[in-house]
Amino acid sequence: MGVSRCFTKTPNTITVRRVRVRAMHARAIPRESSEVRNVRSLSKQWLWKNYQYVLAFYFAIQEINRDDHLLPNKSLGFQLYNALASEQYTLLHAMHWLTGDHSLTPNYRCQTQNKSVVVLAGTSSVFSAEMGTILELYKIPQLTYGPFDPMLNDKKQFPSLYQMATSDRSLAHAMISLLLRFGWTWVGLLVSDDMRGEQFHQDIQAEMVKRGVCLAFAIKLPETKTKYENSDSSFLYWLSISSANVHILYSNIRSLFTMEQLGAFYLTVGKVWLMTAKWDIVMDETHHMLHSFHGGFSFSPNKGKIPGLKTFLKTVNPSHYREDFHFGELWFHFFNCLPAGSGCGHIGICRPNVSLENVPGHIDMLTVSDSSYFVYNAVYAVAHALHRVFLEKEEMVFPEDTAQALILPWQLHPLLRTTQFTNNAGDHVSLHKATPHQEHYDIQNIVNFPAGLRVMVNIGKFSSGSGRDQDLVIREDMIEWPVAFKETPTSVCSQSCGPGFRKRPEEGSAVCCYTCVSCAEGEISNQTDAEQCIQCPELEYTNKERTHCLPKLVTFLDFEDSLGMALACMALALTLLTLMVLGVFVKHQDTPIVKANNRNLSYILLISLLLCFLCSFLFIGRPNTATCLLRQITFALVFTVAVSAVLAKTITVVLAFKAMKPGRTMRRLLVSGAPNAVIPICFLIQLTLCAIWLATSPPFVDTDAHSEHGHIILLCNEGSITAFYCVLGFLGSLALGTFTVAFLARKLPDTFNEAKFLTFSMLVFCSVWVTFLPVYQSTKGKVMVAVEVFSILASGAGLLGCIFAPKCYIILIKPERNLSKSFKKTTGSKGVCQFS
């Protein structure tokens, strides 16, 4: 087994070759002069967790060489090389391995008998790509055990390179699903400044756009201190002041080490970090990272447990691999063993029963990392490919040919591309990644303790499949949050809009930044962060909080309402009063005052007023088809009769005084009762208008769901508004004409002249209806009906009071004035005029 003399920050490069016997051949490459001078100081910078790759490699080799079915009667041999984190040393060690000499002569080999046929490269995609450039010249297969990189999957550029890791194309979906599970929509993103970081940036941003998550900032992390010094360092400021409490970290190890050395992550305490499992190594080696990443989440490809590996890690020690210089250094570093002379495999004097199980400090050597798992699979993949090669050659070689056929590296390519097997952990392994497959991720919570100890608690998993969040399973009760949060943290640009509000985006800002506005009247939102409010059905209304639609109450001008009851009582009182006046007039029909004021017209007017008061009951109560058809028609006809009766009385008064003058024409008109013809003429005109109204667009029962909040008002729709106002217009014209005639006759002298009372009554009547029109137009619902009822009652009461109150006063209170001698004329002949 060949080993190197140093173990530094980059992953190991492993080469596998075949040997006939289970012999181990020691071989070493020289250390750098600076490392020789100060091995102890450099050991403080080594990534000791990386040594688990070597141990996993040892374990796989050991299992295969003990397996009687895989490579029977053959053993795997190997050479182990270490490489520094630089392109120069990567190429240097590659040339060392290819030439087998330190002269680094291109295309020269001193290893002519026992050639290595496969290379297992490290965790860095940059390192694998640099190695692949040289290895491709010789068609030597290279198996990488680092994270999947789409760039390395390009077979045109790297036809001899195989990645053991599966594609992480579902990682962005998994992270976004976790963000949405906790309502985190405002996050920061830190990626490495390379193609892989750029690809992840594009993938997760596309997923964010689809799922409604926004980026608070996006930072590209420089790989080296020099690049950092030449870059814009303002991102440190954004890290410290950002309102995003959740940061996604996706970068290479070099970038994170640079950040740690510069102390940038001192500013990130109190943030929730989402990262991939490859950061385990970095956190193991840096105390600063432990403090910063406490309470974060690590996404690791789901993998089974390799039987026997953990036991192997607990029991293995440098005495089992004496040629491995670094194993002894690791033992010395962890357990402070006293030196025991020079030479490989001498571990010195240590405490009794020490093992990797009780490694002090914060490094966990027993938890198998993803890369160690891929190393294990890579060794088995090579063994399966070699096994098939030997089977094919045994079938082709003649029995007399005792020499074993030589295996060339390029011969393994067809077999590696089609290699598929199930490892001892029960997982399917395939180097052919063309067929889509379901991806699984274990989600671990990072819990760190003040003493520098770290625990990765498995709190859930994600399985790519249907693309729904049901693929995510989380046990929230097991999560340990960063110390800055006493409960589940929030990470939003704007606080959530509760029920009853909707989001209004802010112009020029991300979609996650918005203001909350209350839903408009008639709209609700019954969920948090509603994009739009929901319109309530027409027969429902919103509650005060505007979170639910409630059924509207049906209402109308009911007799049980206070307003309806008041109007009904008023109408009943006026009806009784009219009946009383009519009874007084009937009882005293032969008295002079009743005769002098045209007894028949008085009866017609009183009966029409009685009907006017009674028709108001058609407006009160639940509307139906009959009442809707009758209310306005009845009102128009009876008021037409009443007003035309007043007009007839006024004309009669005027003709009576005109008849006192010489001439028989006026007397003939008065005696013939011509003024009374006004009533049927006006009635027929109004009846015609009403008939046209009913024939064209009659009134009907309707509902008003908007005038009164929370109520549906039952009302009568007038049908044709034009016809309705024509009827009112004729009635108004008639009233105006009556008022004009009465006003002109107001000063005619006579003891019982009622022209003044008729004038005043029509003034009250017109005033009521002139006031009615604007009030009627400005009100809605049952109040509008109440206004019309009140106008009917008020105008009728005006006619009743102004015309008949003075006469009833004389009849009942001053009967002495109701005598024939009172009819003497004040001018001339003292004649008496009676209109019976």
Side-chain angles (χ1 to χ4, degrees):
M1 177 180 67
V3 297
S4 63
R5 291 289 184 179
C6 61
F7 192 80
T8 54
K9 293 184 179 179
T10 59
N12 300 292
T13 302
I14 304 171
T15 65
V16 180
R17 62 185 177 88
R18 65 171 180 82
V19 294
R20 291 181 179 274
V21 295
R22 299 179 185 272
M24 296 184 183
H25 176 67
R27 172 180 174 80
I29 63 172
R31 291 175 291 174
E32 299 296 327
S33 58
S34 59
E35 295 164 7
V36 175
R37 290 192 300 267
N38 196 358
V39 174
R40 184 185 298 269
S41 65
L42 282 176
S43 66
K44 297 179 180 179
Q45 302 179 11
W46 295 346
L47 294 180
W48 292 110
K49 175 78 175 192
N50 271 352
Y51 194 76
Q52 190 185 85
Y53 307 162
V54 180
L55 298 178
F57 180 78
Y58 286 158
F59 179 72
I61 293 288
Q62 176 180 296
E63 275 193 339
I64 293 170
N65 287 339
R66 292 176 180 174
D67 194 337
D68 295 332
H69 302 285
L70 185 62
L71 292 177
N73 301 321
K74 297 177 179 64
S75 299
L76 285 179
F78 57 89
Q79 292 177 328
L80 179 66
Y81 290 85
N82 190 33
L84 297 176
S86 71
E87 292 81 356
Q88 176 185 355
Y89 285 109
T90 299
L91 297 176
L92 177 65
H93 290 297
M95 294 299 294
H96 277 311
W97 172 73
L98 286 170
T99 62
D101 187 26
H102 300 299
S103 61
L104 304 182
T105 305
N107 294 325
Y108 172 78
R109 289 171 178 262
C110 69
Q111 302 176 0
T112 57
Q113 296 300 323
N114 297 308
K115 291 184 178 181
S116 297
V117 292
V118 175
V119 173
L120 273 60
T123 57
S124 169
S125 58
V126 175
F127 176 83
S128 299
E130 292 166 354
M131 285 288 294
T133 304
I134 297 178
L135 298 178
E136 179 57 31
L137 298 175
Y138 303 96
K139 305 299 180 184
I140 299 177
Q142 177 188 185
L143 276 65
T144 67
Y145 49 90
F148 184 86
D149 192 331
M151 179 187 70
L152 299 180
N153 213 37
D154 184 0
K155 289 303 179 183
K156 293 182 179 180
Q157 186 176 1
F158 303 103
S160 301
L161 190 146
Y162 304 88
Q163 299 190 77
M164 299 307 303
T166 56
S167 171
D168 56 0
R169 63 180 183 275
S170 297
L171 179 61
H173 183 200
M175 288 186 171
I176 297 300
S177 296
L178 182 66
L179 293 176
L180 294 178
R181 173 63 176 269
F182 296 107
W184 297 331
T185 58
W186 188 241
V187 298
L189 177 65
L190 295 90
V191 298
S192 56
D193 190 8
D194 56 17
M195 291 299 296
R196 192 163 182 265
E198 182 64 27
Q199 182 63 46
F200 180 78
H201 186 184
Q202 294 176 6
D203 292 344
I204 200 164
Q205 193 165 20
E207 191 71 20
M208 286 180 173
V209 171
K210 290 191 297 184
R211 308 292 291 280
V213 181
C214 301
L215 276 179
F217 59 85
I219 296 173
K220 292 185 177 181
L221 299 177
E223 292 187 0
T224 64
K225 187 175 181 181
T226 302
K227 290 184 178 180
Y228 167 79
E229 293 171 348
N230 295 331
S231 65
D232 182 10
S233 60
S234 63
F235 70 85
L236 298 179
Y237 173 74
W238 288 109
L239 278 175
S240 62
I241 69 166
S242 173
S243 58
N245 290 324
V246 179
H247 293 167
I248 296 176
L249 183 60
Y250 188 88
S251 184
N252 55 45
I253 297 176
R254 293 181 183 181
S255 297
L256 191 56
F257 266 107
T258 302
M259 296 295 294
E260 192 276 333
Q261 292 171 1
L262 295 170
F265 279 86
Y266 283 118
L267 305 175
T268 64
V269 176
K271 303 293 184 181
V272 179
W273 289 91
L274 273 63
M275 63 195 78
T276 54
K278 64 181 179 178
W279 300 111
D280 296 354
I281 299 170
V282 183
M283 288 187 291
D284 280 342
E285 303 294 339
T286 57
H287 293 280
H288 302 156
M289 296 302 177
L290 279 172
H291 188 52
S292 296
F293 291 147
H294 173 72
F297 297 92
S298 173
F299 287 77
S300 172
N302 179 266
K303 55 184 182 294
K305 294 183 179 180
I306 302 174
L309 178 56
K310 194 167 186 177
T311 302
F312 175 81
L313 294 175
K314 289 180 180 180
T315 57
V316 69
N317 62 64
S319 63
H320 299 155
Y321 301 95
R322 296 182 178 275
E323 295 84 356
D324 190 344
F325 168 82
H326 291 294
F327 208 167
E329 288 291 324
L330 179 145
W331 222 253
F332 174 78
H333 175 77
F334 283 158
F335 306 113
N336 295 320
C337 301
L338 296 177
S342 60
C344 295
H346 296 277
I347 61 176
I349 303 175
C350 300
R351 298 191 304 273
N353 300 324
V354 295
S355 72
L356 295 178
E357 185 178 11
N358 46 32
V359 170
H362 53 275
I363 299 179
D364 182 10
M365 294 295 293
L366 297 184
T367 301
V368 179
S369 66
D370 293 342
S371 293
S372 297
Y373 178 77
F374 295 145
V375 168
Y376 178 84
N377 288 338
V379 177
Y380 266 91
V382 173
H384 280 280
L386 289 174
H387 184 81
R388 292 169 60 188
V389 170
F390 289 131
L391 288 179
E392 293 177 359
K393 289 188 176 294
E394 287 177 1
E395 294 176 358
M396 297 174 60
V397 174
F398 293 102
E400 60 272 11
D401 187 0
T402 57
Q404 184 174 353
L406 181 65
I407 298 178
L408 299 176
W410 61 265
Q411 293 177 311
L412 289 180
H413 286 298
L415 301 172
L416 288 172
R417 293 190 190 104
T418 57
T419 295
Q420 298 186 37
F421 62 94
T422 300
N423 64 14
N424 293 335
D427 297 332
H428 179 74
V429 180
S430 173
L431 274 65
H432 182 63
K433 305 297 192 306
T435 304
H437 61 282
Q438 192 176 35
E439 297 177 18
H440 305 273
Y441 291 94
D442 290 327
I443 304 175
Q444 297 174 316
N445 186 214
I446 305 169
V447 181
N448 302 311
F449 297 94
L453 300 176
R454 175 177 60 84
V455 177
M456 302 291 289
V457 182
N458 199 325
I459 53 94
K461 62 180 180 180
F462 175 86
S463 299
S464 65
S466 60
R468 300 189 300 268
D469 289 339
Q470 287 83 347
D471 298 331
L472 178 70
V473 178
I474 293 291
R475 292 190 58 183
E476 297 186 30
D477 58 316
M478 298 180 62
I479 298 177
E480 179 77 17
W481 298 109
V483 293
F485 304 104
K486 295 182 180 179
E487 56 185 13
T488 303
T490 59
S491 186
V492 293
C493 180
S494 302
Q495 293 300 319
S496 296
C497 297
F501 294 84
R502 67 173 178 86
K503 298 191 295 185
R504 183 175 65 188
E506 296 180 358
E507 187 175 355
S509 301
V511 295
C512 300
C513 302
Y514 49 81
T515 56
C516 299
V517 295
S518 178
C519 291
E521 181 66 31
E523 296 180 341
I524 65 164
S525 66
N526 53 10
Q527 61 183 5
T528 303
D529 288 338
E531 297 289 344
Q532 296 292 336
C533 295
I534 304 171
Q535 183 71 40
C536 283
E538 187 177 2
L539 301 182
E540 296 182 359
Y541 72 102
T542 61
N543 60 348
K544 185 178 180 181
E545 294 78 17
R546 297 185 180 174
T547 57
H548 295 89
C549 292
L550 304 175
K552 290 183 177 180
L553 300 176
V554 177
T555 184
F556 48 88
L557 187 61
D558 195 4
F559 287 101
E560 297 179 358
D561 290 344
S562 57
L563 183 59
M565 185 177 295
L567 292 174
C569 292
M570 187 184 302
L572 184 61
L574 290 174
T575 301
L576 294 176
L577 183 60
T578 304
L579 286 173
M580 292 173 61
V581 172
L582 181 60
V584 169
F585 265 61
V586 171
K587 183 178 181 181
H588 299 85
Q589 59 181 338
D590 295 326
T591 60
I593 194 169
V594 175
K595 292 181 179 181
N597 290 277
N598 200 326
R599 180 172 50 193
N600 294 331
L601 289 178
S602 296
Y603 291 158
I604 293 173
L605 179 58
L606 285 172
I607 293 173
S608 63
L609 288 177
L610 179 65
L611 294 176
C612 286
F613 296 140
L614 290 176
C615 81
S616 62
F617 287 99
L618 294 174
F619 291 85
I620 306 174
R622 188 182 186 93
N624 54 60
T625 303
T627 56
C628 287
L629 288 173
L630 291 175
R631 60 169 57 173
Q632 297 293 358
I633 304 299
T634 304
F635 154 72
L637 292 176
V638 296
F639 259 89
T640 298
V641 173
V643 175
S644 61
V646 174
L647 178 60
K649 288 174 71 68
T650 306
I651 294 174
T652 300
V653 171
V654 173
L655 291 177
F657 281 95
K658 294 290 183 180
M660 296 301 174
K661 297 181 180 181
R664 298 182 178 181
T665 304
M666 295 297 177
R667 184 182 297 272
R668 198 177 300 117
L669 291 173
L670 182 62
V671 173
S672 64
N676 296 342
V678 172
I679 298 175
I681 292 173
C682 293
F683 180 80
L684 288 175
I685 294 174
Q686 189 70 287
L687 183 63
T688 302
L689 293 175
C690 291
I692 295 174
W693 182 9
L694 293 176
T696 56
S697 181
F700 57 90
V701 180
D702 198 3
T703 58
D704 180 5
H706 307 288
S707 298
E708 190 172 342
H709 180 71
H711 293 82
I712 299 174
I713 302 174
L714 285 180
L715 48 81
C716 291
N717 190 306
E718 309 305 343
S720 174
I721 298 299
T722 302
F724 173 66
Y725 281 108
C726 285
V727 170
L728 289 183
F730 175 76
L731 184 60
S733 300
L734 182 61
L736 185 60
T738 303
F739 171 73
T740 302
V741 174
F743 180 79
L744 295 176
R746 73 188 185 281
K747 294 184 179 181
L748 294 177
D750 192 69
T751 302
F752 295 104
N753 180 20
E754 63 178 356
K756 293 180 180 179
F757 301 123
L758 293 175
T759 303
F760 190 69
S761 67
M762 291 310 301
L763 178 63
V764 172
F765 184 89
C766 292
S767 298
V768 169
W769 288 105
V770 168
T771 306
F772 160 78
L773 290 175
V775 175
Y776 185 80
Q777 291 296 327
S778 61
T779 55
K780 297 291 183 182
K782 62 181 183 180
V783 178
M784 182 174 64
V785 180
V787 168
E788 186 172 359
V789 173
F790 179 79
S791 299
I792 292 173
L793 297 177
S795 59
L799 293 178
L800 179 66
C802 293
I803 295 176
F804 295 99
K807 297 176 176 59
C808 291
Y809 175 77
I810 293 175
I811 293 172
L812 299 176
I813 306 301
K814 299 290 184 178
E816 67 277 5
R817 295 177 56 184
N818 191 13
L819 300 174
S820 297
K821 62 180 181 180
S822 300
F823 286 84
K824 295 180 179 179
K825 297 183 66 175
T826 58
T827 60
S829 64
K830 308 293 183 182
V832 177
C833 296
Q834 297 185 17
F835 313 114
S836 59

